[in-house]
Amino acid sequence: MTVLGIHHGHDSSAAIVKDGAILADVQEERFSRVKHGASLPLKSIAYCLKEAGLNSINDVDYISFSNQSNTEEIESVFGLKNESGGLKKTIKKMLYTIMRKEVYISNMKLPIYYPDYIVRDKSKCINNHHHLSHAASAYFTRKSAEKCLIFTIDGAGDKFCTAIWMGEGSKIELLKSYYRDASIGWAYSIVTEALHWIHGDGEGKTMGLAPYGDPSKCSDELDKYFPVFKGDELVTPSSLGQDYCWNEGGSYQFHFDEAKEVEKLVEKYGREHVAARAQKLLEEVVINLVSGWVKKTGIKRVVFAGGVMLNVKLNQRIWNNRNEIGIIEQHVFPNPGDSGLAIGAALLQYYKHHDFKGNEIKNLYGGPAYSNEEIEAMLKVRKLKYHYTDNPSKVAAELLAKNQIVAWFQGRMECGPRALGNRSILMSPLKPENKDVINKWVKFREGFRPFCPSLTYEKKDVYLKDNRDEFFMITSFDVTDEKREAIPAVVHVDGTVRPQMVQKETNPRYWELINEFGNLTGEYIVLNSSFNVMGEPIINHPKEAIKCFFDSGLDAIFLGNYYLIKSEH
Ligand SMILES: [Fe+2]
């Protein structure tokens, strides 16, 4: 059975599952080059069909959408328009778009050059709840099918902001849902907006700033925006007004009037203290909620998805408090934001027809790869000086040991927001100033934000305290006391790192690079930042990689078996 999953919204994406295996998973921003892009994922769909060896959308068994109802664009492209009751529907949509201050477009019709995605058998198109798609992304990527609680926590989707589910076997059952009076994601994002970072993008910056502040130095005036749970009950709803949506260059930016009020707190108490209090509130709210439900149900296995779960400090806090909370399993889907909805919807539909017995996700390399031949042709046409090597890992490690900034472009692109060694910018973590060096020459981002490391799996206990297997940079850990001084460029101010443990069988070329760097320097760990500059999506194509190479202070770039040295140009 082949299922195509489609998410149309911010972070639009498509994914394809065949016989339980994830063949492709990619978000449209990588093709459109609009970060968090909300356009229809047409190029992503085309890529998924190609990767599955299918010629037509009608060759898939099901098309599984990540929302309860379809957008006007989806209805047009897939030929799903229901002409009956059209007037009522049109008026409803007009009112909705006016309320949201969006532009209403009537009589949408496709240009002739669009791909033919008209679905002949409409019964193969299935709509799913946004939060159920999140729940499925987490549940159907875990090791076992044992009974567990599933928490889906985001800003909002299909009128849910937070939901608790129970998964067992192939079934996911809703236990409880909350709407806007319990939006943990919106509360945190209001603070992000007040700090003048983009809602739905800058939350990682708020989290990165938080350890510089003291939560007690911001008053409890901030607390009313966060819901309060006692046990499994919502005892104090959060105080939120109207949500608005702004479309900036194809990317949705949600925002709230309450951000103005929080901005006053930022002026009064300081940016870092407001961020610190928001982070503390977030962690306490989620831990209270999880503890309450674990106690109520007696279920000790918990899995998570939804954009809030991108907060690695929250995930660490849950892990560190696992005994108090009473949990024995914590699985966070590694692409928990809305770009992970397409794969959630696809897996959900697949397991409606198949037994789920556990299907642990091994990697996130769901995007396009480019062959050596394609790469060389691209280099030739640009008349660049390049070299070939049979062992790029060794050559790159030698440059890293000489403190060079190296771009590493190999194999299939990662889905989700983290670079995991296929579209990465690498540097030695050994010198404290390297954080500033990489910011000054390549990344151009805020100086307080930490960089993350990749390390060989075998050395995890050398660098990380009280760790568990973590391959996707979805949680942070404390660094061991003996290594804190050794790798200063990747240790955050609070002594934590957000690591990727690299296994040889999952990514042999990247593992060899880190291992070779270890043989040269004694430290089996490298600084790994996503291959992009601030504000842009992660690079997909070699031509974008070369453009970034010459637009920045990168010293070298490796593309497949080819490499270029900046000083030779
Ligand atoms: Fe969501």
Side-chain angles (χ1 to χ4, degrees), residues 11 151 157 241 272 359 447 449 505 551 554:
D11 296 288
F151 292 83
E272 66 276 27
N359 189 14
R449 294 175 65 190
E505 58 268 34
D551 279 353
L554 283 164

Side-chain angles (χ1 to χ4, degrees), residues 130 134 154 338:
H130 181 106
H134 273 314
D154 63 7
D338 281 7

Side-chain angles (χ1 to χ4, degrees), residues 230-507:
K230 196 169 180 190
D232 60 310
E233 287 301 316
L234 174 68
V235 289
T236 312
S238 51
S239 171
L240 297 173
Q242 171 71 45
D243 58 300
Y244 301 96
C245 182
W246 182 255
N247 187 333
E248 178 71 39
S251 171
Y252 294 158
Q253 297 184 5
F254 295 93
H255 58 110
F256 286 78
D257 289 335
E258 283 76 4
K260 273 269 171 213
E261 300 166 8
V262 179
E263 190 184 42
K264 290 196 178 79
L265 302 182
V266 170
E267 286 161 11
K268 196 167 164 187
Y269 300 109
R271 298 171 67 78
E272 66 276 27
H273 301 311
V274 173
R277 192 166 186 98
Q279 181 66 28
K280 183 171 178 280
L281 287 163
L282 174 81
E283 291 173 9
E284 287 174 357
V285 168
V286 175
I287 284 178
N288 270 342
L289 182 67
V290 175
S291 303
W293 279 93
V294 168
K295 208 168 167 191
K296 180 187 167 92
T297 60
I299 301 170
K300 293 174 181 297
R301 299 179 178 277
V302 288
V303 307
F304 299 90
V308 167
M309 304 319 295
L310 282 163
N311 193 299
V312 298
K313 292 291 169 63
L314 166 65
N315 295 332
Q316 179 181 6
R317 182 90 186 271
I318 294 169
W319 176 246
N320 288 351
N321 287 277
R322 61 194 179 280
N323 295 330
E324 292 80 7
I325 300 169
I327 58 174
I328 55 170
E329 179 189 344
Q330 179 196 8
H331 166 67
V332 182
F333 179 56
N335 183 12
D338 281 7
S339 60
L341 285 169
I343 193 60
L347 290 168
L348 180 66
Q349 184 59 23
Y350 180 81
Y351 285 110
K352 281 178 192 168
H353 300 269
H354 296 85
D355 280 345
F356 178 67
K357 293 179 179 138
N359 189 14
E360 186 186 10
I361 192 159
K362 298 281 190 204
N363 70 71
L364 289 183
Y365 305 122
Y370 300 89
S371 67
N372 270 333
E373 291 70 31
E374 288 172 289
I375 290 166
E376 189 179 23
M378 189 269 310
L379 295 172
K380 270 188 175 158
V381 98
R382 283 161 178 74
K383 298 180 180 173
L384 295 169
K385 184 176 180 187
Y386 58 88
H387 307 274
Y388 177 90
T389 173
D390 283 330
N391 193 346
S393 304
K394 186 167 184 293
V395 181
E398 286 166 358
L399 292 172
L400 291 173
K402 290 176 187 162
N403 216 41
Q404 302 275 289
I405 314 172
V406 172
W408 184 248
F409 182 107
Q410 305 288 340
R412 295 185 71 178
M413 180 184 67
E414 302 87 343
C415 59
R418 317 277 193 238
L420 299 167
N422 281 5
R423 300 289 187 278
S424 290
I425 292 172
L426 309 175
M427 203 176 182
S428 163
L430 310 185
K431 291 178 185 283
E433 65 270 24
N434 281 1
K435 195 175 129 175
D436 298 327
V437 171
I438 204 163
N439 263 333
K440 181 182 174 190
W441 293 105
V442 185
K443 296 291 287 193
F444 315 120
R445 61 185 214 179
E446 298 85 356
F448 65 85
R449 294 175 65 190
F451 284 100
C452 304
S454 300
L455 61 147
T456 54
Y457 178 74
E458 294 77 3
K459 301 286 184 186
K460 64 185 183 117
D461 295 327
V462 174
Y463 293 97
L464 307 169
K465 282 184 193 169
D466 187 27
N467 66 73
R468 62 187 156 94
D469 287 359
E470 180 43 66
F471 308 112
F472 306 112
M473 291 187 173
I474 198 63
T475 189
S476 51
F477 296 108
D478 292 338
V479 180
T480 54
D481 299 336
E482 57 273 25
K483 286 298 179 189
R484 195 166 168 167
E485 301 294 316
I487 50 169
V490 291
V491 182
H492 200 21
V493 65
D494 57 1
T496 63
V497 289
R498 185 188 74 191
Q500 176 198 6
M501 298 169 188
V502 182
Q503 291 179 301
K504 194 172 185 180
E505 58 268 34
T506 307
N507 193 336

